[in-house]
Amino acid sequence: MKKLKKLICSMLSALLIMNLSTTVLADGDSLSRIAEYTIQVNEDVDITGSLTTTFTNLDTFIDTVRENYPKIADYDIARFLMQYTQQDCEGLPEDVVLSILEYDNITVSTSYVRIDADGNSYALNDNCLPIDDYTSNDGYIKFTTTYSNTKTVGKQKYYNVFGSATWLKYPAMRLRDCFVVGTNGTFDDSVSEKGNVIQSFKCIRCGAITYKTRTVTKSKRVDNDLNLKYDSGVPELHFDALSTQKCSSCDGFTEDYSFTLFISYGVIASEAKNIQASYGHQTVGFKNDISVSISGDGTASLSASVGTKIETYTARPVTMKY
């Protein structure tokens, strides 16, 4: 039945595409029009209160583009899909961006989390506060929590989960940080997990952008200061938040331009389970690792040793549909 549905969608899409402009597909308007005819979009509020958007028939979109415009590079298709499905891709390694082409469905939820001067944390579905109006030194972060159902075997569903965190206002203190996507599902060690920390700096002198990217995988768990650990039973990123980087063009001084993290791994579930992104930022003490534990509902608890203080930013939980 699924193959028949896909065939029918492809045939209808091909007929519709015949009416589209034959302009080179790098034209974003052409891509958007193809997506409009092939990708189904459904918004929902799940039982945790998180606003989610589910995109299905991604494979039909990809096949239609490839069949009608074979000269378009897979990377260009993938970048469009990342943006179309509300995910940040700027600075991500090419293989991470290309991975979206492996999925026919993706569910995305975005949370904006800030901590005020009194230490109170706020998680919002909408970025209702203009970033330029947020003056607290305690930071402001955007989480994107994503999952894809890859297969079903009996009563067990297999998911790939993804989490990204983007600092919108980064705190001045730079010590040791940690990023994790907690779950109360079962960690699937057959999936190759991966993590990235991508910082960019703008040169004060010439304006050039310099990227500093660290990548860890299941087979390579350390990249400079970035470490991939499993103390909580799921992958965790532990790293130093760099405060400066010389310009790659003129060797001049730079300032922060962007700061994004990304992690992905596999989950198995025989019923509805949660995923929830959390970020720990050390503010006091010598550089020290942050301890992670996962509660029964999938929430990650972050803590540090005596004499060390951390701020915890936690996204809204997202329930993986079963």
Side-chain angles (χ1 to χ4, degrees), residues 83-130:
Q83 295 164 356
Y84 189 82
T85 58
Q86 306 170 7
Q87 301 179 76
D88 296 324
C89 62
E90 192 63 36
L92 281 178
E94 183 173 340
D95 62 327
V96 175
V97 177
L98 287 171
S99 67
I100 195 173
L101 301 181
E102 302 172 9
Y103 307 109
D104 62 7
N105 67 91
I106 284 179
T107 298
V108 181
S109 180
T110 300
S111 290
Y112 295 86
V113 181
R114 59 188 176 91
I115 295 179
D116 65 17
D118 297 321
N120 300 310
S121 178
Y122 299 89
L124 310 167
N125 279 332
D126 298 314
N127 186 14
C128 61
L129 180 67

mmCIF file of all heavy atoms in Angstrom, residues 83-130:
data_model
loop_
_atom_site.group_PDB
_atom_site.id
_atom_site.type_symbol
_atom_site.label_atom_id
_atom_site.label_comp_id
_atom_site.label_asym_id
_atom_site.label_seq_id
_atom_site.Cartn_x
_atom_site.Cartn_y
_atom_site.Cartn_z
ATOM 1 N N GLN A 83 16.033 23.872 5.560
ATOM 2 C CA GLN A 83 15.379 25.159 5.786
ATOM 3 C C GLN A 83 13.859 25.030 5.722
ATOM 4 O O GLN A 83 13.143 25.639 6.525
ATOM 5 C CB GLN A 83 15.882 26.165 4.749
ATOM 6 C CG GLN A 83 17.371 26.482 4.904
ATOM 7 C CD GLN A 83 17.969 27.152 3.684
ATOM 8 O OE1 GLN A 83 17.300 27.320 2.663
ATOM 9 N NE2 GLN A 83 19.235 27.529 3.783
ATOM 10 N N TYR A 84 13.369 24.212 4.792
ATOM 11 C CA TYR A 84 11.933 24.033 4.633
ATOM 12 C C TYR A 84 11.311 23.378 5.868
ATOM 13 O O TYR A 84 10.171 23.676 6.233
ATOM 14 C CB TYR A 84 11.654 23.181 3.394
ATOM 15 C CG TYR A 84 10.196 23.096 3.010
ATOM 16 C CD1 TYR A 84 9.597 24.113 2.262
ATOM 17 C CD2 TYR A 84 9.416 21.995 3.376
ATOM 18 C CE1 TYR A 84 8.258 24.036 1.889
ATOM 19 C CE2 TYR A 84 8.087 21.912 3.007
ATOM 20 C CZ TYR A 84 7.510 22.934 2.271
ATOM 21 O OH TYR A 84 6.179 22.864 1.915
ATOM 22 N N THR A 85 12.068 22.481 6.500
ATOM 23 C CA THR A 85 11.575 21.787 7.694
ATOM 24 C C THR A 85 11.984 22.491 8.987
ATOM 25 O O THR A 85 12.028 21.874 10.053
ATOM 26 C CB THR A 85 12.059 20.327 7.717
ATOM 27 O OG1 THR A 85 13.502 20.301 7.668
ATOM 28 C CG2 THR A 85 11.500 19.547 6.545
ATOM 29 N N GLN A 86 12.323 23.774 8.877
ATOM 30 C CA GLN A 86 12.533 24.640 10.048
ATOM 31 C C GLN A 86 13.767 24.276 10.856
ATOM 32 O O GLN A 86 13.796 24.433 12.082
ATOM 33 C CB GLN A 86 11.286 24.625 10.941
ATOM 34 C CG GLN A 86 10.004 24.985 10.225
ATOM 35 C CD GLN A 86 8.759 24.723 11.051
ATOM 36 O OE1 GLN A 86 8.831 24.374 12.233
ATOM 37 N NE2 GLN A 86 7.606 24.900 10.425
ATOM 38 N N GLN A 87 14.823 23.795 10.185
ATOM 39 C CA GLN A 87 16.051 23.430 10.869
ATOM 40 C C GLN A 87 17.205 24.305 10.395
ATOM 41 O O GLN A 87 17.304 24.639 9.213
ATOM 42 C CB GLN A 87 16.391 21.960 10.606
ATOM 43 C CG GLN A 87 15.312 20.988 11.069
ATOM 44 C CD GLN A 87 15.695 19.561 10.763
ATOM 45 O OE1 GLN A 87 16.527 18.954 11.429
ATOM 46 N NE2 GLN A 87 15.089 19.001 9.730
ATOM 47 N N ASP A 88 18.088 24.653 11.334
ATOM 48 C CA ASP A 88 19.274 25.440 10.998
ATOM 49 C C ASP A 88 20.330 24.526 10.387
ATOM 50 O O ASP A 88 20.566 23.420 10.872
ATOM 51 C CB ASP A 88 19.854 26.103 12.254
ATOM 52 C CG ASP A 88 18.901 27.112 12.868
ATOM 53 O OD1 ASP A 88 18.201 27.796 12.094
ATOM 54 O OD2 ASP A 88 18.845 27.212 14.109
ATOM 55 N N CYS A 89 20.983 24.986 9.325
ATOM 56 C CA CYS A 89 22.027 24.179 8.700
ATOM 57 C C CYS A 89 23.311 24.963 8.470
ATOM 58 O O CYS A 89 24.300 24.401 8.002
ATOM 59 C CB CYS A 89 21.546 23.571 7.385
ATOM 60 S SG CYS A 89 21.091 24.778 6.115
ATOM 61 N N GLU A 90 23.319 26.246 8.790
ATOM 62 C CA GLU A 90 24.492 27.072 8.560
ATOM 63 C C GLU A 90 25.677 26.565 9.379
ATOM 64 O O GLU A 90 25.603 26.421 10.590
ATOM 65 C CB GLU A 90 24.209 28.532 8.926
ATOM 66 C CG GLU A 90 25.269 29.503 8.441
ATOM 67 C CD GLU A 90 25.366 29.536 6.919
ATOM 68 O OE1 GLU A 90 24.320 29.418 6.248
ATOM 69 O OE2 GLU A 90 26.487 29.669 6.423
ATOM 70 N N GLY A 91 26.775 26.253 8.679
ATOM 71 C CA GLY A 91 27.981 25.803 9.353
ATOM 72 C C GLY A 91 28.038 24.318 9.623
ATOM 73 O O GLY A 91 29.088 23.798 10.022
ATOM 74 N N LEU A 92 26.918 23.584 9.429
ATOM 75 C CA LEU A 92 26.928 22.141 9.676
ATOM 76 C C LEU A 92 27.790 21.433 8.630
ATOM 77 O O LEU A 92 27.789 21.812 7.453
ATOM 78 C CB LEU A 92 25.509 21.569 9.618
ATOM 79 C CG LEU A 92 24.612 21.751 10.844
ATOM 80 C CD1 LEU A 92 23.243 21.165 10.568
ATOM 81 C CD2 LEU A 92 25.230 21.103 12.077
ATOM 82 N N PRO A 93 28.517 20.395 9.024
ATOM 83 C CA PRO A 93 29.288 19.616 8.042
ATOM 84 C C PRO A 93 28.375 19.058 6.953
ATOM 85 O O PRO A 93 27.192 18.782 7.190
ATOM 86 C CB PRO A 93 29.884 18.488 8.893
ATOM 87 C CG PRO A 93 29.946 19.044 10.277
ATOM 88 C CD PRO A 93 28.726 19.924 10.398
ATOM 89 N N GLU A 94 28.925 18.875 5.777
ATOM 90 C CA GLU A 94 28.123 18.458 4.624
ATOM 91 C C GLU A 94 27.409 17.135 4.861
ATOM 92 O O GLU A 94 26.251 16.967 4.475
ATOM 93 C CB GLU A 94 29.015 18.362 3.385
ATOM 94 C CG GLU A 94 28.257 18.004 2.117
ATOM 95 C CD GLU A 94 29.114 18.065 0.867
ATOM 96 O OE1 GLU A 94 30.168 18.725 0.904
ATOM 97 O OE2 GLU A 94 28.733 17.447 -0.144
ATOM 98 N N ASP A 95 28.082 16.172 5.516
ATOM 99 C CA ASP A 95 27.453 14.865 5.711
ATOM 100 C C ASP A 95 26.250 14.951 6.640
ATOM 101 O O ASP A 95 25.296 14.183 6.509
ATOM 102 C CB ASP A 95 28.472 13.846 6.226
ATOM 103 C CG ASP A 95 29.050 14.220 7.578
ATOM 104 O OD1 ASP A 95 29.197 15.428 7.853
ATOM 105 O OD2 ASP A 95 29.374 13.311 8.368
ATOM 106 N N VAL A 96 26.276 15.890 7.578
ATOM 107 C CA VAL A 96 25.135 16.074 8.474
ATOM 108 C C VAL A 96 23.949 16.648 7.703
ATOM 109 O O VAL A 96 22.805 16.210 7.864
ATOM 110 C CB VAL A 96 25.508 16.992 9.653
ATOM 111 C CG1 VAL A 96 24.285 17.281 10.519
ATOM 112 C CG2 VAL A 96 26.611 16.357 10.490
ATOM 113 N N VAL A 97 24.204 17.627 6.853
ATOM 114 C CA VAL A 97 23.139 18.215 6.031
ATOM 115 C C VAL A 97 22.554 17.161 5.091
ATOM 116 O O VAL A 97 21.336 17.031 4.953
ATOM 117 C CB VAL A 97 23.672 19.418 5.230
ATOM 118 C CG1 VAL A 97 22.575 19.984 4.324
ATOM 119 C CG2 VAL A 97 24.184 20.506 6.170
ATOM 120 N N LEU A 98 23.408 16.372 4.453
ATOM 121 C CA LEU A 98 22.953 15.366 3.500
ATOM 122 C C LEU A 98 22.112 14.267 4.156
ATOM 123 O O LEU A 98 21.320 13.603 3.478
ATOM 124 C CB LEU A 98 24.152 14.727 2.799
ATOM 125 C CG LEU A 98 24.862 15.594 1.755
ATOM 126 C CD1 LEU A 98 26.159 14.924 1.316
ATOM 127 C CD2 LEU A 98 23.958 15.839 0.545
ATOM 128 N N SER A 99 22.272 14.070 5.454
ATOM 129 C CA SER A 99 21.552 12.977 6.125
ATOM 130 C C SER A 99 20.037 13.134 6.042
ATOM 131 O O SER A 99 19.299 12.159 6.150
ATOM 132 C CB SER A 99 21.989 12.869 7.588
ATOM 133 O OG SER A 99 21.591 14.008 8.330
ATOM 134 N N ILE A 100 19.547 14.357 5.824
ATOM 135 C CA ILE A 100 18.097 14.549 5.740
ATOM 136 C C ILE A 100 17.503 13.829 4.533
ATOM 137 O O ILE A 100 16.325 13.487 4.504
ATOM 138 C CB ILE A 100 17.744 16.055 5.697
ATOM 139 C CG1 ILE A 100 16.245 16.240 5.976
ATOM 140 C CG2 ILE A 100 18.124 16.684 4.368
ATOM 141 C CD1 ILE A 100 15.830 17.691 6.131
ATOM 142 N N LEU A 101 18.330 13.545 3.532
ATOM 143 C CA LEU A 101 17.838 12.853 2.332
ATOM 144 C C LEU A 101 17.511 11.388 2.611
ATOM 145 O O LEU A 101 16.930 10.714 1.752
ATOM 146 C CB LEU A 101 18.877 12.946 1.214
ATOM 147 C CG LEU A 101 19.279 14.361 0.775
ATOM 148 C CD1 LEU A 101 20.289 14.304 -0.365
ATOM 149 C CD2 LEU A 101 18.060 15.179 0.366
ATOM 150 N N GLU A 102 17.867 10.884 3.783
ATOM 151 C CA GLU A 102 17.611 9.483 4.127
ATOM 152 C C GLU A 102 16.208 9.269 4.697
ATOM 153 O O GLU A 102 15.784 8.127 4.883
ATOM 154 C CB GLU A 102 18.636 9.006 5.168
ATOM 155 C CG GLU A 102 20.084 9.127 4.716
ATOM 156 C CD GLU A 102 21.060 8.827 5.840
ATOM 157 O OE1 GLU A 102 20.606 8.366 6.919
ATOM 158 O OE2 GLU A 102 22.259 9.078 5.664
ATOM 159 N N TYR A 103 15.469 10.353 4.968
ATOM 160 C CA TYR A 103 14.206 10.223 5.695
ATOM 161 C C TYR A 103 13.015 10.616 4.835
ATOM 162 O O TYR A 103 13.112 11.526 4.006
ATOM 163 C CB TYR A 103 14.248 11.093 6.960
ATOM 164 C CG TYR A 103 15.464 10.801 7.809
ATOM 165 C CD1 TYR A 103 16.500 11.726 7.909
ATOM 166 C CD2 TYR A 103 15.594 9.579 8.464
ATOM 167 C CE1 TYR A 103 17.631 11.445 8.652
ATOM 168 C CE2 TYR A 103 16.718 9.297 9.211
ATOM 169 C CZ TYR A 103 17.742 10.223 9.300
ATOM 170 O OH TYR A 103 18.863 9.938 10.031
ATOM 171 N N ASP A 104 11.886 9.915 5.070
ATOM 172 C CA ASP A 104 10.666 10.292 4.362
ATOM 173 C C ASP A 104 9.715 11.062 5.260
ATOM 174 O O ASP A 104 8.677 11.549 4.818
ATOM 175 C CB ASP A 104 9.966 9.061 3.776
ATOM 176 C CG ASP A 104 9.516 8.065 4.840
ATOM 177 O OD1 ASP A 104 9.628 8.370 6.046
ATOM 178 O OD2 ASP A 104 9.054 6.975 4.474
ATOM 179 N N ASN A 105 10.056 11.197 6.567
ATOM 180 C CA ASN A 105 9.226 11.965 7.492
ATOM 181 C C ASN A 105 10.102 12.592 8.565
ATOM 182 O O ASN A 105 11.115 12.006 8.971
ATOM 183 C CB ASN A 105 8.155 11.078 8.139
ATOM 184 C CG ASN A 105 8.768 10.030 9.066
ATOM 185 O OD1 ASN A 105 8.932 10.259 10.273
ATOM 186 N ND2 ASN A 105 9.137 8.870 8.517
ATOM 187 N N ILE A 106 9.722 13.766 9.017
ATOM 188 C CA ILE A 106 10.445 14.466 10.081
ATOM 189 C C ILE A 106 9.441 15.284 10.877
ATOM 190 O O ILE A 106 8.584 15.957 10.305
ATOM 191 C CB ILE A 106 11.558 15.386 9.514
ATOM 192 C CG1 ILE A 106 12.770 14.562 9.070
ATOM 193 C CG2 ILE A 106 11.991 16.424 10.525
ATOM 194 C CD1 ILE A 106 13.893 15.384 8.490
ATOM 195 N N THR A 107 9.551 15.208 12.202
ATOM 196 C CA THR A 107 8.736 16.038 13.093
ATOM 197 C C THR A 107 9.655 16.989 13.840
ATOM 198 O O THR A 107 10.658 16.564 14.414
ATOM 199 C CB THR A 107 7.933 15.178 14.079
ATOM 200 O OG1 THR A 107 7.035 14.332 13.345
ATOM 201 C CG2 THR A 107 7.119 16.052 15.029
ATOM 202 N N VAL A 108 9.302 18.273 13.837
ATOM 203 C CA VAL A 108 10.178 19.318 14.373
ATOM 204 C C VAL A 108 9.438 20.140 15.419
ATOM 205 O O VAL A 108 8.260 20.467 15.248
ATOM 206 C CB VAL A 108 10.670 20.254 13.241
ATOM 207 C CG1 VAL A 108 11.608 21.325 13.791
ATOM 208 C CG2 VAL A 108 11.351 19.454 12.137
ATOM 209 N N SER A 109 10.134 20.470 16.505
ATOM 210 C CA SER A 109 9.588 21.371 17.519
ATOM 211 C C SER A 109 10.678 22.349 17.940
ATOM 212 O O SER A 109 11.837 21.961 18.121
ATOM 213 C CB SER A 109 9.094 20.585 18.741
ATOM 214 O OG SER A 109 8.559 21.463 19.716
ATOM 215 N N THR A 110 10.313 23.615 18.088
ATOM 216 C CA THR A 110 11.280 24.648 18.455
ATOM 217 C C THR A 110 10.888 25.296 19.774
ATOM 218 O O THR A 110 9.718 25.617 19.998
ATOM 219 C CB THR A 110 11.361 25.732 17.361
ATOM 220 O OG1 THR A 110 11.771 25.131 16.134
ATOM 221 C CG2 THR A 110 12.355 26.822 17.735
ATOM 222 N N SER A 111 11.870 25.468 20.666
ATOM 223 C CA SER A 111 11.671 26.156 21.936
ATOM 224 C C SER A 111 12.705 27.261 22.077
ATOM 225 O O SER A 111 13.859 27.093 21.673
ATOM 226 C CB SER A 111 11.827 25.193 23.125
ATOM 227 O OG SER A 111 10.777 24.270 23.205
ATOM 228 N N TYR A 112 12.289 28.368 22.666
ATOM 229 C CA TYR A 112 13.205 29.455 23.001
ATOM 230 C C TYR A 112 13.292 29.524 24.519
ATOM 231 O O TYR A 112 12.275 29.646 25.199
ATOM 232 C CB TYR A 112 12.703 30.774 22.435
ATOM 233 C CG TYR A 112 12.689 30.808 20.923
ATOM 234 C CD1 TYR A 112 11.602 30.320 20.206
ATOM 235 C CD2 TYR A 112 13.768 31.315 20.207
ATOM 236 C CE1 TYR A 112 11.597 30.334 18.819
ATOM 237 C CE2 TYR A 112 13.765 31.336 18.819
ATOM 238 C CZ TYR A 112 12.674 30.848 18.133
ATOM 239 O OH TYR A 112 12.672 30.861 16.769
ATOM 240 N N VAL A 113 14.504 29.426 25.046
ATOM 241 C CA VAL A 113 14.691 29.346 26.499
ATOM 242 C C VAL A 113 15.610 30.474 26.954
ATOM 243 O O VAL A 113 16.681 30.681 26.383
ATOM 244 C CB VAL A 113 15.281 27.986 26.919
ATOM 245 C CG1 VAL A 113 15.436 27.915 28.437
ATOM 246 C CG2 VAL A 113 14.405 26.847 26.425
ATOM 247 N N ARG A 114 15.183 31.178 27.977
ATOM 248 C CA ARG A 114 16.017 32.228 28.552
ATOM 249 C C ARG A 114 15.990 32.126 30.071
ATOM 250 O O ARG A 114 15.053 31.582 30.654
ATOM 251 C CB ARG A 114 15.540 33.614 28.104
ATOM 252 C CG ARG A 114 14.103 33.947 28.479
ATOM 253 C CD ARG A 114 13.661 35.257 27.834
ATOM 254 N NE ARG A 114 12.263 35.569 28.099
ATOM 255 C CZ ARG A 114 11.848 36.298 29.128
ATOM 256 N NH1 ARG A 114 12.729 36.775 30.003
ATOM 257 N NH2 ARG A 114 10.562 36.543 29.300
ATOM 258 N N ILE A 115 17.024 32.634 30.695
ATOM 259 C CA ILE A 115 17.110 32.689 32.154
ATOM 260 C C ILE A 115 17.262 34.149 32.549
ATOM 261 O O ILE A 115 18.160 34.841 32.054
ATOM 262 C CB ILE A 115 18.291 31.857 32.679
ATOM 263 C CG1 ILE A 115 18.055 30.367 32.368
ATOM 264 C CG2 ILE A 115 18.477 32.054 34.178
ATOM 265 C CD1 ILE A 115 19.178 29.460 32.813
ATOM 266 N N ASP A 116 16.397 34.621 33.435
ATOM 267 C CA ASP A 116 16.457 36.033 33.801
ATOM 268 C C ASP A 116 17.488 36.265 34.906
ATOM 269 O O ASP A 116 18.162 35.343 35.368
ATOM 270 C CB ASP A 116 15.066 36.549 34.198
ATOM 271 C CG ASP A 116 14.522 35.891 35.461
ATOM 272 O OD1 ASP A 116 15.310 35.281 36.218
ATOM 273 O OD2 ASP A 116 13.303 35.985 35.688
ATOM 274 N N ALA A 117 17.604 37.516 35.326
ATOM 275 C CA ALA A 117 18.615 37.898 36.309
ATOM 276 C C ALA A 117 18.400 37.214 37.652
ATOM 277 O O ALA A 117 19.335 37.109 38.463
ATOM 278 C CB ALA A 117 18.616 39.416 36.479
ATOM 279 N N ASP A 118 17.180 36.737 37.909
ATOM 280 C CA ASP A 118 16.894 36.056 39.176
ATOM 281 C C ASP A 118 17.083 34.545 39.077
ATOM 282 O O ASP A 118 16.800 33.814 40.024
ATOM 283 C CB ASP A 118 15.455 36.358 39.614
ATOM 284 C CG ASP A 118 15.233 37.842 39.883
ATOM 285 O OD1 ASP A 118 16.165 38.474 40.444
ATOM 286 O OD2 ASP A 118 14.159 38.365 39.540
ATOM 287 N N GLY A 119 17.521 34.068 37.923
ATOM 288 C CA GLY A 119 17.754 32.634 37.758
ATOM 289 C C GLY A 119 16.537 31.853 37.334
ATOM 290 O O GLY A 119 16.568 30.615 37.311
ATOM 291 N N ASN A 120 15.446 32.521 36.988
ATOM 292 C CA ASN A 120 14.240 31.838 36.543
ATOM 293 C C ASN A 120 14.341 31.490 35.064
ATOM 294 O O ASN A 120 14.765 32.308 34.248
ATOM 295 C CB ASN A 120 13.010 32.722 36.769
ATOM 296 C CG ASN A 120 12.818 33.077 38.229
ATOM 297 O OD1 ASN A 120 12.833 32.202 39.093
ATOM 298 N ND2 ASN A 120 12.640 34.364 38.515
ATOM 299 N N SER A 121 13.943 30.257 34.720
ATOM 300 C CA SER A 121 14.036 29.772 33.343
ATOM 301 C C SER A 121 12.671 29.822 32.675
ATOM 302 O O SER A 121 11.652 29.474 33.285
ATOM 303 C CB SER A 121 14.569 28.338 33.324
ATOM 304 O OG SER A 121 14.622 27.832 32.013
ATOM 305 N N TYR A 122 12.649 30.243 31.407
ATOM 306 C CA TYR A 122 11.414 30.337 30.642
ATOM 307 C C TYR A 122 11.584 29.584 29.326
ATOM 308 O O TYR A 122 12.537 29.831 28.591
ATOM 309 C CB TYR A 122 11.058 31.795 30.354
ATOM 310 C CG TYR A 122 10.826 32.621 31.593
ATOM 311 C CD1 TYR A 122 11.882 33.287 32.202
ATOM 312 C CD2 TYR A 122 9.560 32.734 32.159
ATOM 313 C CE1 TYR A 122 11.679 34.052 33.350
ATOM 314 C CE2 TYR A 122 9.347 33.496 33.303
ATOM 315 C CZ TYR A 122 10.413 34.154 33.892
ATOM 316 O OH TYR A 122 10.208 34.898 35.023
ATOM 317 N N ALA A 123 10.671 28.668 29.026
ATOM 318 C CA ALA A 123 10.679 27.935 27.760
ATOM 319 C C ALA A 123 9.429 28.306 26.977
ATOM 320 O O ALA A 123 8.306 28.127 27.463
ATOM 321 C CB ALA A 123 10.721 26.429 28.004
ATOM 322 N N LEU A 124 9.604 28.847 25.792
ATOM 323 C CA LEU A 124 8.494 29.331 24.984
ATOM 324 C C LEU A 124 8.501 28.651 23.624
ATOM 325 O O LEU A 124 9.558 28.331 23.081
ATOM 326 C CB LEU A 124 8.605 30.849 24.783
ATOM 327 C CG LEU A 124 8.827 31.692 26.054
ATOM 328 C CD1 LEU A 124 9.229 33.105 25.669
ATOM 329 C CD2 LEU A 124 7.569 31.693 26.901
ATOM 330 N N ASN A 125 7.307 28.437 23.053
ATOM 331 C CA ASN A 125 7.230 27.919 21.689
ATOM 332 C C ASN A 125 7.557 29.007 20.684
ATOM 333 O O ASN A 125 8.071 28.746 19.606
ATOM 334 C CB ASN A 125 5.827 27.368 21.401
ATOM 335 C CG ASN A 125 5.631 25.967 21.956
ATOM 336 O OD1 ASN A 125 6.584 25.212 22.076
ATOM 337 N ND2 ASN A 125 4.401 25.629 22.302
ATOM 338 N N ASP A 126 7.247 30.248 21.030
ATOM 339 C CA ASP A 126 7.452 31.362 20.111
ATOM 340 C C ASP A 126 8.496 32.318 20.663
ATOM 341 O O ASP A 126 8.568 32.552 21.870
ATOM 342 C CB ASP A 126 6.136 32.122 19.882
ATOM 343 C CG ASP A 126 5.066 31.256 19.254
ATOM 344 O OD1 ASP A 126 5.395 30.543 18.285
ATOM 345 O OD2 ASP A 126 3.925 31.287 19.732
ATOM 346 N N ASN A 127 9.280 32.869 19.768
ATOM 347 C CA ASN A 127 10.283 33.847 20.145
ATOM 348 C C ASN A 127 9.603 35.208 20.280
ATOM 349 O O ASN A 127 9.768 36.098 19.444
ATOM 350 C CB ASN A 127 11.387 33.899 19.078
ATOM 351 C CG ASN A 127 12.527 34.799 19.495
ATOM 352 O OD1 ASN A 127 12.633 35.182 20.632
ATOM 353 N ND2 ASN A 127 13.367 35.132 18.535
ATOM 354 N N CYS A 128 8.834 35.359 21.358
ATOM 355 C CA CYS A 128 7.987 36.542 21.496
ATOM 356 C C CYS A 128 8.774 37.769 21.960
ATOM 357 O O CYS A 128 8.291 38.885 21.869
ATOM 358 C CB CYS A 128 6.840 36.262 22.463
ATOM 359 S SG CYS A 128 7.360 35.850 24.142
ATOM 360 N N LEU A 129 9.979 37.568 22.472
ATOM 361 C CA LEU A 129 10.790 38.677 22.948
ATOM 362 C C LEU A 129 11.871 39.003 21.928
ATOM 363 O O LEU A 129 12.702 38.159 21.620
ATOM 364 C CB LEU A 129 11.446 38.326 24.284
ATOM 365 C CG LEU A 129 12.326 39.405 24.912
ATOM 366 C CD1 LEU A 129 11.474 40.588 25.342
ATOM 367 C CD2 LEU A 129 13.089 38.836 26.104
ATOM 368 N N PRO A 130 11.883 40.203 21.361
ATOM 369 C CA PRO A 130 12.945 40.551 20.417
ATOM 370 C C PRO A 130 14.319 40.373 21.035
ATOM 371 O O PRO A 130 14.556 40.812 22.157
ATOM 372 C CB PRO A 130 12.649 42.024 20.100
ATOM 373 C CG PRO A 130 11.198 42.202 20.403
ATOM 374 C CD PRO A 130 10.913 41.284 21.555
#
